[in-house]
Amino acid sequence: MSERIGWRYTVLVPAVLAVLSMIGPFSIDTPFPAFPEMGRDLDVDTGALQLIVTVYLGSFALMSVFHGPLSDAVGRRPVMLGGIAVYVLASLGCVVAASLPLLLVCRALQGLSAGGATIVSRTVIRDLFDGPQAQKLMSRVAIIFGLAPAVGPILGGALLQLGPWQLIFGFQAAMGVLLILSVLFLLPETHPRERRVPLRVGAVLGGLVEVGRVGAFHRLAWATALIFGAQFLYIGGAAIFVVDVLGEGELDFWKLFVPMIGSMMLGSWLCGRAAGRISARRLVSWGCTTSFAGGVVGVLVAALGAGDELPWAVLGVSLIALGNGITYPTLQLMLLDRFPTRRGAVVSLATFVALVLNAVTAVAVVPVIGGSALGFAVAALVGVGAGQLCWSWHVAVEDRDCAVSRDVGEREPVELL
């Protein structure tokens, strides 16, 4: 199909998909700079405000299981449009929320709906393209997607200079309206009726079960989730790391996010450049090794007493992000290629794994390790080390299966004609 597709699909569509994929991470950290003002207005402390992140992530994870399978049944566009419409209403609810409980309800609705854009958009590239071209375009999407965690807190801080914290959620609502228009006028339906699965509860859940029963899915999904989870420690705990550990202010989140996300974007660019030149397996191995090296560097820097001093404080996580940028687009394609008829289901389940891990990290890990740079660094090293083990396990299983298949083939009798 890719030979018949023109510049609209190689330029406009990836740009729209990248912005759609940004809505999830963008919604996580844009409010970070407003935490002090929100705490005063709502009369709550920093620990309670952390629920703004946790509730959003938990809700996103809960609904993420269903967005992809629904898109396999009814098409990509309806799920994206419906999700963004609810997201706009939820964002407006955050604007008028006068108490923390009401704000958390609206944040939960944001999380439940944002996956319609973030998750389903990842399947569209693979619907349209395959091989090196798919890898190149997935890398382009990842580059723009990577901007969200960096732009979010910077934009949030800038909006605070123009008005109260409610302006941040008003901006999110306006962004949702623009995304609806982009999907309506620029994005085609890439999952035709003949490829769809029946819209029945059994068929939708059956797709998830089909994906979840395959060992390769778990090895690849957990490798992705654990390595990115090491980077997410710093994203989800940015309000603590930047303000409490580094001693910076509400306009200084860029000092963490710019080098970290810039490194991830560089890694995604390198991934795109390597398409068709370096094998997917070798590329992922290089990326995993880079992230692990970043984890080690982070621990060494913190142990030597420079973990709360810039720029050394962000050196380790920037290397982790560089490795993530190299591996993430390729691992996503590996997962999608395992289940060509269940692409929505595989993205949903992989996202669910990652989000549950991130939600647990935000609730249970960040409050424990957030008091020191060394705590952040050690937790990140554990994450990248576990992800590296999952990838090594996957490579070993594939090599074993190939060896067994080759051995069986050699022993098969030759049929005489």
Side-chain angles (χ1 to χ4, degrees):
M1 182 177 182
S2 57
E3 294 83 357
R4 303 194 303 271
I5 295 176
W7 70 274
R8 177 192 175 193
Y9 290 84
T10 57
V11 178
L12 288 180
V13 168
V16 172
L17 294 176
V19 178
L20 286 167
S21 69
M22 286 175 65
I23 195 172
F26 184 85
S27 301
I28 295 173
D29 56 13
T30 308
F32 283 164
F35 273 19
E37 183 179 332
M38 294 170 71
R40 291 191 297 270
D41 281 2
L42 302 175
D43 194 23
V44 294
D45 58 20
T46 304
L49 287 172
Q50 191 66 25
L51 290 172
I52 293 174
V53 178
T54 305
V55 166
Y56 174 86
L57 286 174
S59 302
F60 195 114
L62 179 65
M63 191 62 192
S64 68
V65 181
F66 302 103
H67 285 304
L70 283 174
S71 76
D72 288 337
V74 302
R76 313 302 188 204
R77 276 167 46 104
V79 176
M80 287 190 281
L81 289 170
I84 303 170
V86 175
Y87 176 87
V88 170
L89 295 176
S91 299
L92 293 175
C94 291
V95 172
V96 300
S99 65
L100 182 62
L102 182 56
L103 179 61
L104 293 179
V105 169
C106 295
R107 284 289 282 176
L109 287 174
Q110 276 191 319
L112 290 171
S113 57
T118 302
I119 294 171
V120 177
S121 63
R122 298 179 194 172
T123 66
V124 176
I125 287 289
R126 193 59 190 84
D127 286 342
L128 292 171
F129 300 100
D130 52 25
Q133 193 169 18
Q135 184 176 327
K136 288 179 182 177
L137 293 179
M138 190 72 81
S139 299
R140 290 181 194 173
V141 170
I143 289 172
I144 305 175
F145 166 80
L147 284 171
V151 171
I154 296 172
L155 181 60
L159 289 170
L160 285 178
Q161 309 309 304
L162 302 176
W165 59 265
Q166 289 90 345
L167 188 60
I168 292 174
F169 295 105
F171 181 86
Q172 291 178 352
M175 182 180 68
V177 172
L178 289 176
L179 287 175
I180 289 174
L181 295 175
S182 298
V183 173
L184 284 173
F185 294 107
L186 297 176
L187 195 65
E189 176 57 65
T190 62
H191 192 56
R193 293 183 182 278
E194 61 270 18
R195 296 183 188 174
R196 297 176 190 175
V197 299
L199 182 57
R200 298 195 303 268
V201 173
V204 170
L205 296 180
L208 295 170
V209 172
E210 177 185 336
V211 171
R213 292 175 60 183
V214 178
F217 165 81
H218 290 283
R219 295 189 295 271
L220 293 172
W222 280 103
T224 307
L226 286 163
I227 296 176
F228 185 79
Q231 181 180 338
F232 185 82
L233 279 169
Y234 292 85
I235 297 174
I240 297 174
F241 184 76
V242 172
V243 178
D244 297 341
V245 176
L246 300 183
E248 302 291 336
E250 66 181 24
L251 297 179
D252 296 319
F253 284 83
W254 67 270
K255 296 179 181 179
L256 166 65
F257 284 98
V258 168
M260 177 175 64
I261 302 306
S263 297
M264 187 171 182
M265 292 171 66
L266 174 60
S268 298
W269 179 80
L270 292 172
C271 178
R273 294 288 295 173
R277 304 177 184 181
I278 301 173
S279 69
R281 178 192 283 199
R282 179 174 297 180
L283 195 61
V284 173
S285 295
W286 287 356
C288 288
T289 301
T290 301
S291 290
F292 184 76
V296 173
V297 168
V299 170
L300 290 176
V301 168
L304 293 173
D308 57 355
E309 300 176 7
L310 293 168
W312 311 113
V314 298
L315 180 59
V317 69
S318 294
L319 285 172
I320 292 173
L322 177 65
N324 264 319
I326 294 171
T327 60
Y328 191 83
T330 308
L331 284 173
Q332 290 287 297
L333 288 173
M334 285 182 174
L335 281 167
L336 289 167
D337 286 344
R338 289 271 173 177
F339 307 91
T341 63
R342 295 286 189 176
R343 288 172 183 155
V346 73
V347 173
S348 274
L349 204 55
T351 303
F352 177 77
V353 168
L355 286 173
V356 168
L357 179 64
N358 291 342
V360 170
T361 296
V363 174
V365 179
V366 170
V368 174
I369 57 93
S372 70
L374 184 60
F376 273 97
V378 170
L381 179 59
V382 171
V384 292
Q388 175 85 298
L389 287 175
C390 287
W391 171 249
S392 299
W393 180 20
H394 179 73
V395 170
V397 170
E398 279 201 331
D399 287 344
R400 183 200 64 194
D401 291 345
C402 287
V404 170
S405 298
R406 185 166 54 249
D407 186 50
V408 169
E410 290 174 354
R411 291 201 305 265
E412 286 182 352
V414 177
E415 182 177 349
L416 298 178
L417 298 177

